[in-house]
Amino acid sequence: MNIRYYIDKPNATNETAIYLFVRNGKKKLKFNTGRKIHPKYWDISEQEPKKGYPSRTKLNVYLTNLKTDVINAIEDLVQKGITTLEEAKDKIATIVAGKDLQETKVDFLQAYDQFLDVYKATRSEATVKKYKTIKNHLESFAAHKRTKLSFETIDAAFQENFVAYLVHQAKLTNNTIARKLKFLKTFLHWATERGYNAKSDYRKFKQKEEKVDIVTLSYDELMSLYNLDLTEKPKLERVRDVFCFGCFTGQRFSDIAALQPEHIKGDKWHLHTQKTKDILSIPLNVFALEILEKYTSKGKKLPAVSNQKTNEYLKELGKLAGIKDLKTHVRYQGAKRIQKTRPKYKFLGTHTARRTFCTISLKKGMLPEIVMKISGHKDYRTFRRYIDLDNNVVDIAMNSAWSK
């Protein structure tokens, strides 16, 4: 008998089923192993996952053991006088089903580790780090409740208790909790697709997000920072330049930090974004080109330091640039209102640059569709969170559009 594996759709653009193929003469049978894999990870000649597939070892062990069990079962049947595939069909099907059932009984946290291994291959390091943070919260929650995490307990009561833990013990705001629940739902959906989770309660998990104030620089504040004389403070000067480059291009700090001189073609930045894998062509305005010329003319890249250090230095820079107007931030932690009123410079961070670009561009008359094309935003709902248009801008726009 010939026993081998093959994938259902070798030319598929997404995951496809792995089948066990058994042939005896002209008679042949096939059995769905319950496993899927993307064709790009499948070695047709070797009948196994290619090197580089995140769960290669685990899947190989499963397939090898399944094939061994089927071979042993067929040999036993032959010794009993059963020589046709039709007679062996039920026995093989039982082995395949039993093997799959045994394999799918995966512990919750073991499944989460598998999930992280898979996501490492296709997601940015920053995104994977967010999912690791969720796992840490889940483990801390289980320890706090003195319970064991399992797919069977992920229901409405779990959500209520987990959210209460994130509010009272982890001290997270409602919007942060809402984002974490979305990440958790992504994992649970992944686990459901692989047969690890049979409950669908998680699909209804939801946490209300409150509208929050965002921090952006006005054009005058940005120019004040851009023109600030930092000759005697070279470290701050480099941080300022990288931050302002973000304000002039609208791109994420991670992409700016990865910018290489060869990515610049004339007055365009050809960017392959790290987070979304998009390919963008960013037109560089005179200010952005001036900053680039300052470093690339010497064969250097933009001198980005770590996100954390940049955030620290930006507060010092904002103070030096006189960005001191009082700003009130309101957040909610459960029903608790958390209000902070501080000088604006204390709220500055790397994310402020991207928001500043979007807001100033709109105020200067750029169409939202054009700003989104440059910033890489795909939908207006997400883009809307990045803009800060005051009532004065709205009034001017109305009067301009409807003047006699």
Side-chain angles (χ1 to χ4, degrees):
M1 290 190 186
N2 179 22
I3 302 175
R4 61 190 298 272
Y5 289 108
Y6 74 94
I7 55 175
D8 187 34
K9 298 176 181 178
N11 297 319
T13 57
N14 49 17
E15 289 188 333
T16 186
I18 301 174
Y19 279 88
L20 175 73
F21 180 88
V22 184
R23 181 170 184 169
N24 186 19
K26 293 183 179 181
K27 184 66 177 177
K28 52 189 177 183
L29 297 172
K30 66 178 184 178
F31 304 87
N32 192 330
T33 65
R35 295 294 176 274
K36 292 183 178 182
I37 193 171
H38 195 291
K40 68 180 180 181
Y41 290 123
W42 184 253
D43 190 321
I44 296 176
S45 62
E46 297 295 328
Q47 304 169 49
E48 64 179 29
K50 295 178 180 178
K51 292 180 179 179
Y53 178 61
S55 301
R56 182 173 185 263
T57 301
K58 182 178 178 62
L59 182 55
N60 266 340
V61 169
Y62 170 79
L63 296 176
T64 300
N65 289 343
L66 176 58
K67 189 173 182 179
T68 300
D69 288 350
V70 171
I71 291 173
N72 290 338
I74 290 174
E75 289 178 350
D76 289 343
L77 293 173
V78 170
Q79 289 180 6
K80 294 176 182 178
I82 295 176
T83 58
T84 66
L85 269 185
E86 195 60 38
E87 292 174 293
K89 179 179 179 181
D90 290 344
K91 179 63 176 177
I92 298 173
T94 300
I95 292 172
V96 174
K99 199 74 179 173
D100 190 61
L101 181 62
Q102 179 183 7
E103 183 69 13
T104 55
K105 289 182 179 178
V106 177
D107 175 82
F108 184 94
L109 292 176
Q110 288 178 333
Y112 205 107
D113 287 335
Q114 287 183 33
F115 168 76
L116 289 175
D117 286 340
V118 171
Y119 262 50
K120 285 177 185 176
T122 57
R123 301 301 192 278
S124 69
E125 185 178 340
T127 299
V128 172
K129 186 177 180 180
K130 292 176 182 176
Y131 283 105
K132 287 181 178 178
T133 301
I134 298 296
K135 184 188 175 190
N136 292 337
H137 282 306
L138 287 166
E139 290 177 317
S140 297
F141 165 73
H144 177 73
K145 287 291 185 179
R146 297 182 181 179
T147 187
K148 182 179 180 182
L149 293 169
S150 69
F151 289 111
E152 289 74 21
T153 60
I154 305 299
D155 52 19
F158 163 83
Q159 185 205 354
E160 292 171 355
N161 290 327
F162 186 49
V163 168
Y165 167 81
L166 294 176
V167 170
H168 300 298
Q169 273 68 47
K171 305 296 183 184
L172 301 183
T173 62
N174 294 354
N175 286 2
T176 300
I177 293 172
R179 289 192 293 272
K180 292 191 181 302
L181 283 182
K182 289 177 183 177
F183 288 135
L184 176 59
K185 287 171 72 173
T186 298
F187 158 66
L188 291 170
H189 184 67
W190 176 91
T192 302
E193 286 187 330
R194 280 147 187 81
Y196 298 157
N197 175 47
K199 293 174 71 70
S200 60
D201 302 52
Y202 74 90
R203 297 180 187 275
K204 297 180 181 179
F205 287 2
K206 187 177 290 186
Q207 176 75 7
K208 183 180 178 182
E209 290 188 65
E210 282 95 7
K211 187 181 181 202
V212 297
D213 295 323
I214 64 170
V215 175
T216 65
L217 298 182
S218 68
Y219 182 78
D220 288 342
E221 288 171 333
L222 174 57
M223 288 299 109
S224 175
L225 180 61
Y226 179 63
N227 293 315
L228 190 63
D229 185 2
L230 296 169
T231 307
E232 302 300 321
K233 300 178 183 291
K235 185 181 294 185
L236 289 180
E237 181 179 14
R238 292 191 289 270
V239 171
R240 184 271 311 274
D241 290 344
V242 173
F243 175 77
C244 284
F245 186 79
C247 293
F248 297 135
T249 61
Q251 301 311 306
R252 297 179 182 87
F253 179 78
S254 58
D255 290 320
I256 294 172
L259 173 62
Q260 299 292 333
E262 59 266 26
H263 297 160
I264 306 299
K265 307 293 182 184
D267 61 354
K268 294 287 181 66
W269 174 14
H270 295 275
L271 168 63
H272 194 159
T273 64
Q274 294 189 17
K275 182 176 181 180
T276 60
K277 313 303 181 190
D278 291 328
I279 298 177
L280 304 177
S281 180
I282 314 300
L284 298 171
N285 57 43
V286 62
F287 302 108
L289 287 170
E290 191 171 79
I291 293 172
L292 280 177
E293 175 65 20
K294 186 174 180 179
Y295 297 96
T296 57
S297 62
K298 302 174 184 178
K300 300 178 181 179
K301 56 179 287 189
L302 289 178
V305 296
S306 71
N307 198 311
Q308 182 178 354
K309 281 293 183 184
T310 298
N311 286 336
E312 291 176 11
Y313 292 140
L314 281 176
K315 292 166 179 56
E316 186 177 348
L317 282 163
K319 186 175 183 180
L320 289 172
I323 305 173
K324 299 177 182 179
D325 288 347
L326 292 181
K327 181 81 175 176
T328 298
H329 258 206
V330 177
R331 297 288 187 272
Y332 288 89
Q333 196 176 83
K336 181 181 178 182
R337 176 187 170 101
I338 302 173
Q339 179 173 314
K340 295 179 181 178
T341 300
R342 297 176 177 176
K344 192 173 182 178
Y345 68 82
K346 286 186 175 291
F347 292 111
L348 296 185
T350 55
H351 55 277
T352 308
R354 186 164 160 83
R355 292 169 175 173
T356 294
F357 169 81
C358 294
T359 300
I360 292 179
S361 296
L362 290 174
K363 286 182 177 180
K364 285 185 168 293
M366 288 178 66
L367 293 173
E369 294 85 352
I370 294 176
V371 180
M372 289 171 65
K373 186 172 180 61
I374 294 172
S375 66
H377 286 98
K378 292 184 174 63
D379 64 271
Y380 188 77
R381 184 177 178 182
T382 303
F383 174 70
R384 188 174 56 189
R385 299 174 185 171
Y386 277 76
I387 57 180
D388 180 23
L389 300 179
D390 54 43
N391 290 331
N392 185 49
V393 175
V394 176
D395 293 343
I396 293 173
M398 174 65 87
N399 293 329
S400 175
W402 291 94
S403 60
K404 287 186 178 181

